[in-house]
Amino acid sequence: MPIPEDVTGEEIDKDVRQELQSLPKTLAEDVAKNLVMVARLLDEDPEGAYGYSRVALRLASRVAAVREAAGFAAYATQKYGEALAEFRAAKRMTGNIDLWPVMADCERGLGRPEKALDMAGAPEVHKLDKAGQVEMRLVAAGARRDMGQLDAAIVTLQSSELASNSVQPWTARLRYAYADALLAAGREPEAREWFAKAVEADRDGSTDASDRLAELDGVEFVDALTEDEAEDEAQAEDEGEGGDATEEQKD
C-alpha cells in the first residue's frame, strides 16, 4: 500500500521504535511507516488502517507493537475474533496486561458477554492502572446490558470515579455510559442529569452527550442550509404558479 511522502516513520513512539531495532534498518523503517499510517487512519478510515496493519504484520509479526496495532485495527473494523487473537499474541510477548479490557470487549463483540464478565472479575484487573480499571468497568457494564441486566449495569458503573468531581480522561465516557444505562432503564430525569454532567466533562467532544441532552430536552437542530433550500423551493413554486396564472390570463 502506498505511503504518503510526508510519513517518515520517525513519528512513532520511542518505545515502539526501540522494539523495531531488532529488525534490519530498512525493514524497521518500512514497518514504522505502516504503523504511522495505522495510527493516522484508525479513527477516520478504519478499513484503511486495517490494510496498513496487515502489511506491517506481514513484515514483522514477531514484534509485539505490530501485533497490538493489528489488534486495534481489526477491533476498529469489528473483526473481533482476529483482534482478540492479535491482542493475546501481544500480551504473550510482553506480559503486559494493559490490553485486558479491550480483550474483554472483543468477547462481547463475539457474543460472549459472560466471558467478558469473567475477565472483569479476574486477578489481572487489580494490576491495571486507574484508567484501565475504569475501562474494565465500562466493558462489564456493557456486558450486563448485553444480557438484559439493566439494573446490574447501573450498579456496575456506580463507583468512586463516577462520584468524583475531578475531571479525568475517562470521566466523560463514564458519566455518559451511566446516563445511557439510566435512560435504558426508564429513569429519564436521572439520565438527563448525568448527560449534563457528561457534557461538563467532555472537553474534546469525545461523546455525543450534548446531542443526547438536547434530544431529552426536546430541542431540534435544523440544518441552516436545508432551511435555505426549502425557502428557495417554496419561492420557485410561487413563481411557477404566478407564471401559470399569467399564461391563463393571456388565453
Side-chain angles (χ1 to χ4, degrees):
M1 296 181 69
I3 304 283
E5 289 182 9
D6 65 313
V7 174
T8 65
E10 293 296 316
E11 301 89 339
I12 59 172
D13 292 342
K14 182 176 67 176
D15 292 344
V16 177
R17 195 155 54 240
Q18 196 168 345
E19 271 193 73
L20 295 179
Q21 285 179 356
S22 62
L23 303 173
K25 188 173 185 295
T26 305
L27 180 59
E29 288 174 358
D30 288 343
V31 173
K33 288 178 181 179
N34 278 282
L35 291 180
V36 170
M37 292 306 298
V38 173
R40 181 181 285 190
L41 297 176
L42 196 60
D43 292 332
E44 294 179 4
D45 180 13
E47 287 293 346
Y50 179 77
Y52 284 104
S53 77
R54 301 308 295 176
V55 175
L57 200 56
R58 191 169 67 247
L59 295 173
S61 62
R62 294 185 181 180
V63 176
V66 170
R67 303 303 288 265
E68 185 174 326
F72 277 110
Y75 179 79
T77 52
Q78 299 183 2
K79 298 176 176 68
Y80 297 116
E82 194 175 311
L84 186 56
E86 297 300 343
F87 290 142
R88 282 175 176 164
K91 180 176 175 292
R92 276 196 307 272
M93 290 174 177
T94 64
N96 195 324
I97 46 84
D98 290 351
L99 295 170
W100 196 253
V102 72
M103 288 167 66
D105 206 39
C106 286
E107 294 288 1
R108 282 186 62 211
L110 291 167
R112 301 194 292 246
E114 298 88 350
K115 178 64 177 171
L117 286 176
D118 287 345
M119 292 180 70
E124 283 85 350
V125 176
H126 301 295
K127 300 174 187 175
L128 294 169
D129 61 13
K130 182 63 72 177
Q133 289 179 5
V134 170
E135 197 63 39
M136 193 71 247
R137 193 176 287 277
L138 288 166
V139 173
R144 291 291 184 191
R145 289 187 64 172
D146 293 343
M147 298 165 71
Q149 300 173 1
L150 291 177
D151 290 339
I154 290 168
V155 171
T156 299
L157 293 168
Q158 291 169 346
S159 59
S160 58
E161 292 84 13
L162 181 69
S164 174
N165 288 323
S166 71
V167 175
Q168 303 295 335
W170 61 78
T171 303
R173 290 179 59 238
L174 184 58
R175 292 177 180 179
Y176 182 95
Y178 189 58
D180 196 44
L182 288 167
L183 190 60
R187 295 161 61 175
E188 190 171 310
E190 292 169 87
R192 192 208 171 280
E193 177 190 344
W194 282 96
F195 275 127
K197 288 182 178 181
V199 170
E200 289 173 10
D202 195 0
R203 293 165 180 169
D204 58 358
S206 61
T207 73
D208 65 347
S210 58
D211 292 342
R212 299 292 299 277
L213 185 60
E215 192 179 311
L216 284 174
D217 288 342
V219 177
E220 282 189 31
F221 295 101
V222 179
D223 190 321
L225 183 62
T226 305
E227 204 172 50
D228 291 343
E229 286 172 353
E231 285 178 6
D232 290 344
E233 283 180 14
Q235 188 177 346
E237 284 177 12
D238 289 344
E239 288 173 359
E241 287 173 6
D244 291 345
T246 305
E247 290 300 322
E248 285 173 11
Q249 286 171 2
K250 284 181 181 175
D251 292 342

